[in-house]
Amino acid sequence: MSTVYPVRDIFVQANGLRHHLLARGAPGAPVVLMIHGLAGQAHTFDGIANFLAARYHVYCLDVRGRGESEWGPPDQYTIDTYVEDLEAVREALGLQRFALVGTSMGGLITMQYAPRFPERVSRAVLNDIGPEIDPAGLQRILAYIQGAPEMFADLKAVVRYYREHYAPMVAHLNDDQLAEFARYNVRRSDSGVYVWKMDPAVRTAPPRPPALDPWDAFRAMECPVLIIRGAQSDVLSAETARKMLEANPRARLVEVPGVGHAPLLVEPEARKALEAFLAEGA
């Protein structure tokens, strides 16, 4: 049976908001900082963060407006703002250099942060995301993000929602595992129903392109880059992944069979690749 490492809740004031992180592992160990996707939160990484805590000091960030982090102005849910937040959180924590792991939106943040602060990022992991997003996957994500119900009668209804709309990510989880995955995305309201732990403005914020062109940002990443792609992904196409390898000689690619967008990183292929990649820089 694997060791379960204690989880510490950390709150820091950064870029005008209170941000929440989950921390595992020993302070003083090499740092890994993990950033979730558009509608996720820090607990998305519980499985892989616990695994990595044996060797690293692992931080998992609740991006503003999600989880236990404070909500921000509705017009500031943008990649550039998230990059500013990340740098402010880093400063508040006193981190000097760390590996960044970003899933989906978290990978977009990583791609923009790393070239702006190359002295801070030792290694970067882009989990099922690239400078180009497959239109089919983007439309699927926007449809379930913008069309999500405001509340659920019980946790079973939440699990049903995730089973239906997050199938590429959670199809291999049983109902108990899925309930554990989903429960951190909701809270029980005073009226007894379950509501999202996310600012509704996140769902309606119009997309705003980042300051750096995504391909220019990716090419400018100076650190080693691991691209993890779900073999059935409709967000990161095989063609875009191939182009990424051509665009940045410091990048390498691993595919996770039988998984769509996005791997949870506990899949054997993903975990093995991530473990080996991070160990090279430790």
Side-chain angles (χ1 to χ4, degrees):
M1 186 174 180
S2 60
T3 302
V4 177
Y5 291 89
V7 182
R8 307 183 301 280
D9 289 283
I10 296 176
F11 292 89
V12 297
Q13 196 70 21
N15 202 21
L17 296 180
R18 191 175 82 146
H19 294 261
H20 171 252
L21 304 98
L22 300 172
R24 296 174 174 85
V31 173
V32 176
L33 200 157
M34 314 186 83
I35 312 174
H36 60 75
L38 178 62
Q41 37 66 47
H43 284 283
T44 300
F45 295 112
D46 278 355
I48 189 62
N50 184 73
F51 173 78
L52 294 176
R55 186 167 183 176
Y56 303 95
H57 193 189
V58 184
Y59 292 96
C60 300
L61 174 67
D62 274 333
V63 176
R64 67 164 57 202
R66 287 88 161 173
E68 303 300 327
S69 286
E70 192 175 356
W71 294 5
D75 63 345
Q76 292 183 15
Y77 289 117
T78 68
I79 296 297
D80 286 333
T81 300
Y82 301 149
V83 171
E84 294 170 3
D85 287 348
L86 177 56
E87 173 58 10
V89 167
R90 178 210 64 78
E91 187 175 8
L93 293 171
L95 304 179
Q96 297 303 309
R97 193 163 169 83
F98 49 91
L100 261 179
V101 179
T103 290
S104 196
M105 180 192 74
L108 298 178
I109 297 169
T110 298
M111 276 190 286
Q112 293 288 320
Y113 181 90
R116 297 186 200 187
F117 303 96
E119 73 281 4
R120 301 299 181 196
V121 184
S122 59
R123 310 200 139 233
V125 179
L126 305 177
N127 184 22
D128 211 58
I129 196 68
E132 292 179 23
I133 299 176
D134 190 297
L138 179 61
Q139 289 306 310
R140 177 181 61 81
I141 291 172
L142 291 177
Y144 74 68
I145 292 293
Q146 296 172 354
E150 294 182 2
M151 61 190 71
F152 301 90
D154 51 33
L155 194 56
K156 289 183 179 179
V158 179
V159 171
R160 285 196 298 272
Y161 174 83
Y162 273 87
R163 183 68 75 194
E164 178 179 352
H165 294 280
Y166 285 74
M169 179 186 289
V170 303
H172 59 294
L173 302 180
N174 62 40
D175 282 351
D176 288 341
Q177 292 171 323
L178 184 52
E180 181 67 17
F181 172 85
R183 70 185 182 94
Y184 292 107
N185 292 283
V186 294
R187 62 175 176 84
R188 197 166 188 176
S189 70
D190 294 340
S191 59
V193 298
Y194 285 84
V195 297
W196 296 107
K197 291 174 68 174
M198 184 171 73
D199 185 349
V202 171
R203 299 185 183 276
T204 57
R208 191 184 306 172
L212 288 176
D213 173 81
W215 276 109
D216 289 344
F218 177 72
R219 292 187 188 96
M221 295 177 73
E222 298 179 2
C223 62
V225 180
L226 174 64
I227 305 162
I228 297 178
R229 178 180 181 267
Q232 298 178 4
S233 176
D234 61 355
V235 170
L236 177 60
S237 70
E239 175 63 16
T240 296
R242 182 191 63 77
K243 288 166 60 177
M244 291 171 74
L245 295 179
E246 295 175 352
N248 189 325
R250 293 168 292 281
R252 68 187 76 171
L253 171 68
V254 64
E255 288 199 343
V256 183
V259 177
H261 182 78
L264 293 174
L265 302 179
V266 294
E267 302 86 358
E269 295 82 4
R271 189 174 69 179
K272 181 180 178 180
L274 181 60
E275 181 181 24
F277 179 71
L278 293 175
E280 291 175 9

